[in-house]
Amino acid sequence: MGVYGLISIDVVMRVVGAYALGPLGDKYGRKLVTRISSIGSSLPLVGVALLPGPLLLLLLYAVQGFFTGGLSAGLNVIGLEELPERHRGWFGGSGMAVGGSAYLVASLVFFLISRILGGALYVDLGWRIMFLTSLLIIPFGFLMPESRKFKKNFRRDASPTKSLLTKYRRYFVLAFILTALWSSMNALANSLLPNFLFSVDHLSRTEISQMLTVYSVVLIVSAFLGGELSERLGRRKVFILGGVLGIVLSPVFILLEDPGNFTMLLVSVIGFVTVFGGGGLMAYVNENFPTNIRSTGVSLSWNLGFLVGNLVPLMLVFIISNTSIELFGALETISMIVLGGFIVVASYISHETRGNMESE
């Protein structure tokens, strides 16, 4: 609960950062907000590495979350604006693949540092070095070119946030709802699967690490595959297909309580189904808004959605901690069914966005 609570502080502040910094991306450029946010999101983690104790930890995570919210106003927009339509779908899959790729990169860094320093020295020094690697984002932030679509946009909005909440309110609400639903589906696995494997299946830490590595690879492939399919079939159809798959395959968590020799297969199914339908989500969110308010719309809907998504596992952990660990599988299954049903309904009442950015 403490770990999830700390993460929640970061995620809450991302919404504040998106509200404050998102409009900068529409007024002054995606490149500027990316540079500001890359520095602001990495330096607090450097502060964590240098802390003598945990006293300032909450404050540093809050600052880091604030600038990470602004980072989505740049990075989540530039790539989609720069690419031609035929590549927009699969590239949008990076929005949901980021969890798997982050785990793989962090695991590689951990492996290298722990092998070089050894276990005892890692406890004192190694974890600090891992936080210092956050500085690597700054060069990428400064090398990021400005969006050509932004440069060509001569209709700069004096108040992007006001336009978003008035003229484009319906699009903003739909983008937020679908982001919240898919991030919740993904968070069920990303946040709770390690605990499930440890507390219910009683696997060792080494076995869990192996399972999560395979899970992350499947998640990455699934997200990009879903994104590419959304370019061919349309965003809405893939959302609906993903929601149906979530409902149909929801018993996988109950099966995982006594998996026999199929643990790896079941973990792979979870990695696939929780992101596949959301592969085109980042493209969908971008396509809902015109260029002059896109950074504001994307950053706010994306970070608000992921705020809700991170609260779902927190609520489940709270329920389980006050009842019984035996309910873990059943609650995960019910949650997938409910989320899958809401995804199907929200996608049905939504609109197709594929091609919107080309028609501007």
Side-chain angles (χ1 to χ4, degrees), residues 226-289:
E228 175 61 24
L229 194 62
S230 76
E231 195 61 51
R232 299 172 182 270
L233 301 180
R235 317 295 186 214
R236 290 176 69 239
K237 289 182 180 179
V238 175
F239 289 162
I240 293 172
L241 176 60
V244 171
L245 284 176
I247 296 171
V248 173
L249 297 177
S250 60
V252 68
F253 279 102
I254 294 178
L255 295 175
L256 196 59
E257 291 179 348
D258 186 19
N261 296 321
F262 299 101
T263 306
M264 190 74 77
L265 174 62
L266 295 174
V267 167
S268 299
V269 170
I270 292 171
F272 181 87
V273 73
T274 54
V275 298
F276 169 73
L281 179 64
M282 195 162 79
Y284 168 86
V285 172
N286 273 268
E287 291 162 347
N288 264 287
F289 310 109

